[in-house]
Amino acid sequence: MSDSQLQELGRLGLRVEEHFQTPCDIEWAWSQGQFYLLQARPIQGMRGDDRPMPLPAMSFSPEERERVRREEIEALTARAEPGGTVWSRYNLAEVLPAPTPMTWAIVRRFLSGRGGFGMMYRDLGYDPDPALDDDGIFDLVCGRPYCNLSREPRLHYRQLPFEHPFAELKKAPQRALYPRPIINPARADWRFWLFLPVLMPLLLVKLVRAELQQRRLAETLAQRLREEIFPTFAAETEREAAQDLGRLDAAALLERLDYWVRRTLHDFARDGLKPTALAGIAMGKLERVLVRSLGPERARAALGELTMGVRPDPEADLPGAVRDLAAGVLDRATFLRRFGHRGSQEMELAQPRWVEDPSALDRLLGQAQSPSPMSAPADAWERIASEARLSPAVRANAEADLKHLHTYLALRETAKHYLMKGYALIRRCLVELDQRHGLEGGIFFLTPEELPRLIAGEDLSGRMAERRRQREIALSLEVPPVIFSDDLEAIGRSAVVPGADVLQGMPLSAGVAEGPALVVHQPGEAAPAAGPYILVCPSADPAWVPLFVHAAGLVMETGGILSHGAIVAREFGLPTVAGLPDIHRRLKSGQRLRIDGARGTVTLLPG
């Protein structure tokens, strides 16, 4: 092709991009001295995830990218504390890698001290800092949610000087992907020491009260969830789903939206998040007991074995339903009736649910044949308790903690199943508003506070287009998984990838597996017909589950011990390692891997 033809083709691409307001793939033809546009579609990975494909140089000018980079650095500089702040892309990044403005506005409120997240902490007996009532503990950095480790310790007790030590994390940044706070008396101000004689008894009372409150909840919450909270919420969401939103005027529709945000992410989430917290508390107690006798590495492996095969309640068992659907035991209509409110990247409100786009489910399933679910060996606890040489009293307490761990690991996934029913109704209201105003998805680039202006007739198209472009420029910037306030210039700087043959990550599910890597950037990418393979992916929300059925092991960039991916991997019996930044970009499909889920290692085998 000549230079003039290349320029003309480039102009055609720019016209398409300008029309859709997003980078696009185009198919074109040259015939009889003229270009023809055959079809165009937005580039996969550019919307609603954190895996943007490299953008054409013409998409954003260097000046635009540098402007956005400087704005991000200035915003973080303003949020940094004098002693240094660390931002870590863990926890939330697994389920919401790159939220749209509407999603982030709603979720950020939910995660604040006033939202369901903060209310759950208070119900557990903790005393969060009121300063978190509005800000919460997460910041958006270049379109991705990061946990602010300066604010995170204040969720528990506002008076105690807990911290994530900046200097230690700087030496070992990987530890920030699964951080644990420590007490540092040097961080306490003069008021703490002046009133310590008065504060100490009060703090001791709070600590004891919290411990008793958590024990009571561990004994009673499971029954209350199953007999009262889940059925009530399920019945209400089913009634609402049967309503015709087209009959509501705009003001009534906004009221329904506000109601379901509060009902789902404040009222229901207040209880629905407690299984995750109680499972974490039980796991922490059990881990401390086992570490004393077995050491950290063996204790982690033992915990992985003891939690193998934990499954949600039957009505919420998405992995089991996926297996049955793949095996032909469950028909597609029944699956969609039960699980149609779930979907890929389901915490992103801009993403359709499976019931809206059943073809997405079909693409994920392919021709998979499902193996039987894995379970922990019947004698696992007996063997591990004997190995640890636990005294009768310690063993009895540990058995109670193990029982609570199993109960609330299962209920964590069950609670999410029901929470997503309400979340789907939030999306339903937003989609109705979007369609009424012909925004073609633009509503997700507004915020809830701007919706009254939209229904009043104000033209917000310029604002939506600007935010869409700003977000995509931000997502085009490379950002490390851990950011330090003394090196904010790391934003936009290409990371140096070490060439180690053995990569050390976080152990999530015990076992050893070997096989070719299947590197998948998005769950919609087709899996090969033959297995087994080592699935390598950024994280694992429910949309990834169909790819588990042929996998021998799992490697993820993000995900903690209580993450969805870890829980489902243990149910499938898949050795799993996480906490390896950019691992889905560092490996290629076909490379032979050996993963050790107990040690958290990924070995790149020769050949």
Side-chain angles (χ1 to χ4, degrees):
M1 294 173 64
S2 67
D3 287 352
S4 61
Q5 288 173 321
L6 288 171
Q7 289 170 356
E8 186 177 351
L9 180 59
R11 285 192 291 270
L12 175 62
L14 284 174
R15 285 176 58 198
V16 172
E17 181 176 307
E18 184 179 359
H19 174 79
F20 286 108
Q21 289 294 300
T22 187
C24 292
D25 289 318
I26 67 170
E27 292 184 11
W28 52 271
W30 171 266
S31 177
Q32 298 179 356
Q34 180 175 345
F35 280 108
Y36 292 84
L37 177 66
L38 305 182
Q39 62 173 307
R41 66 175 67 85
I43 293 177
Q44 293 300 308
M46 288 309 302
R47 292 183 178 178
D49 62 38
D50 188 25
R51 296 171 289 283
M53 296 174 67
L55 299 183
M58 68 186 77
S59 296
F60 312 124
S61 69
E63 291 78 15
E64 281 183 295
R65 296 180 85 246
E66 180 60 17
R67 174 184 58 79
V68 171
R69 192 179 83 89
R70 297 311 319 171
E71 288 173 357
E72 294 287 339
I73 290 173
E74 289 169 10
L76 290 189
T77 300
R79 295 178 198 142
E81 297 198 352
T85 292
V86 182
W87 288 269
S88 172
R89 196 161 71 208
Y90 89 107
N91 196 336
L92 184 60
E94 181 193 8
V95 296
L96 192 60
T100 54
M102 178 64 73
T103 298
W104 183 241
I106 290 173
V107 169
R108 190 169 185 266
R109 192 183 308 161
F110 151 56
L111 293 173
S112 71
R114 288 198 181 103
F117 190 67
M119 290 189 288
M120 179 269 292
Y121 266 84
R122 290 182 174 88
D123 289 347
L124 290 169
Y126 296 121
D127 184 22
D129 191 331
L132 302 177
D133 282 355
D134 294 319
D135 289 341
I137 63 171
F138 292 96
D139 293 322
L140 207 61
V141 182
C142 289
R144 296 96 158 169
Y146 279 73
C147 183
N148 184 316
L149 296 188
S150 293
R151 297 202 298 261
E152 190 270 343
R154 301 175 196 163
L155 269 174
H156 292 84
Y157 298 103
R158 63 177 103 172
Q159 292 99 341
L160 291 179
F162 276 100
E163 71 165 6
H164 293 285
F166 185 90
E168 291 184 21
L169 295 179
K170 192 71 186 279
K171 293 177 184 175
Q174 192 176 33
R175 288 176 52 192
L177 296 174
Y178 194 47
R180 295 186 178 183
I182 61 170
I183 286 186
N184 180 6
R187 285 189 65 88
D189 60 17
W190 64 269
R191 287 180 292 268
F192 176 82
W193 297 110
L194 178 64
F195 294 105
L196 184 61
V198 177
L199 286 175
M200 208 58 192
L202 294 175
L203 286 171
L204 288 174
V205 169
K206 286 183 179 180
L207 290 168
V208 171
R209 186 182 298 160
E211 173 70 19
L212 293 174
Q213 205 158 324
Q214 290 161 17
R215 286 185 186 179
R216 283 195 298 270
L217 278 173
E219 294 295 336
T220 61
L221 180 65
Q223 182 177 357
R224 193 160 71 88
L225 286 171
R226 287 176 172 137
E227 295 182 2
E228 176 187 341
I229 296 170
F230 291 163
T232 300
F233 190 70
E236 189 177 358
T237 55
E238 286 168 12
R239 286 195 301 270
E240 179 70 15
Q243 300 298 314
D244 180 7
L245 296 185
R247 293 184 166 187
L248 300 179
D249 61 29
L253 192 54
L254 283 186
E255 288 179 5
R256 298 313 296 159
L257 173 63
D258 182 63
Y259 174 82
W260 281 106
V261 168
R262 287 185 287 104
R263 181 71 178 95
T264 302
L265 298 178
H266 298 261
D267 302 339
F268 178 80
R270 179 178 191 166
D271 293 311
L273 293 176
K274 286 172 186 168
T276 300
L278 292 174
I281 291 167
M283 181 171 283
K285 290 179 179 178
L286 200 55
E287 183 179 13
R288 287 191 289 274
V289 168
L290 295 177
V291 163
R292 285 198 293 268
S293 303
L294 304 178
E297 187 174 305
R298 174 65 185 124
R300 284 194 297 266
L303 281 172
E305 187 176 350
L306 291 171
T307 54
M308 193 79 72
V310 174
R311 304 178 67 178
D313 291 354
E315 77 277 9
D317 188 1
L318 176 59
V322 168
R323 283 193 296 266
D324 291 344
L325 182 60
V329 176
L330 186 68
D331 66 85
R332 187 166 170 270
T334 302
F335 179 91
L336 288 173
R337 187 168 62 251
R338 290 173 55 193
F339 299 100
H341 63 285
R342 308 294 297 268
S344 175
Q345 302 171 46
E346 59 188 355
M347 285 302 294
E348 171 52 64
L349 287 165
Q351 288 292 322
R353 313 293 105 169
W354 281 328
V355 73
E356 299 174 65
D357 182 17
S359 62
L361 179 64
D362 297 336
R363 289 193 299 271
L364 289 172
L365 285 171
Q367 300 298 318
Q369 296 297 315
S370 174
S372 300
M374 299 291 291
S375 299
D379 65 341
W381 170 245
E382 188 69 33
R383 178 166 38 79
I384 290 169
S386 298
E387 180 185 352
R389 299 180 181 177
L390 303 179
S391 68
V394 171
R395 178 168 176 160
N397 288 332
E399 286 176 352
D401 291 329
L402 181 61
K403 178 184 175 184
H404 291 151
L405 177 58
H406 285 171
T407 297
Y408 290 107
L409 275 180
L411 280 171
R412 175 195 187 278
E413 294 302 301
T414 303
K416 184 177 181 182
H417 170 83
Y418 287 110
L419 183 136
M420 295 316 298
K421 283 180 175 287
Y423 208 67
L425 295 175
I426 297 171
R427 170 176 162 80
R428 188 166 172 252
C429 292
L430 290 169
V431 169
E432 176 70 20
L433 282 168
D434 186 86
Q435 292 174 347
R436 288 188 188 185
H437 293 272
L439 302 181
E440 298 183 345
I443 199 165
F444 299 104
F445 291 86
L446 298 176
T447 64
E449 292 74 23
E450 292 166 334
L451 295 181
R453 294 163 58 187
L454 176 72
I455 66 173
E458 184 175 343
D459 182 6
L460 300 174
S461 57
R463 178 167 300 192
M464 291 183 288
E466 175 58 29
R467 283 183 183 159
R468 189 193 296 270
R469 185 171 183 81
Q470 182 92 353
R471 174 175 178 265
E472 289 174 356
I473 295 173
L475 289 176
S476 76
L477 296 171
E478 188 170 350
V479 189
V482 180
I483 302 172
F484 295 91
S485 58
D486 65 350
D487 186 25
L488 296 178
E489 293 296 330
I491 294 174
R493 185 172 64 206
S494 296
V496 177
V497 178
D501 290 330
V502 178
L503 307 175
Q504 181 63 54
M506 183 193 307
L508 294 188
S509 179
V512 176
E514 186 175 315
L518 172 63
V519 181
V520 185
H521 295 257
Q522 299 179 71
E525 296 175 9
Y533 46 76
I534 306 297
L535 177 61
V536 180
C537 57
S539 63
D541 70 8
W544 294 91
V545 172
L547 294 177
F548 286 18
V549 296
H550 278 319
L554 177 63
V555 179
M556 300 187 293
E557 177 181 346
T558 62
I561 194 74
L562 296 179
S563 67
H564 174 84
I567 292 170
V568 177
R570 290 194 290 269
E571 179 181 339
F572 276 79
L574 298 180
T576 302
V577 177
L580 292 163
D582 281 334
I583 190 64
H584 62 294
R585 295 190 183 98
R586 295 161 64 178
L587 300 179
K588 295 181 180 179
S589 291
Q591 283 183 286
R592 289 200 63 80
L593 306 178
R594 183 178 189 273
I595 68 172
D596 187 328
R599 291 183 171 84
T601 58
V602 177
T603 303
L604 281 64
L605 301 175

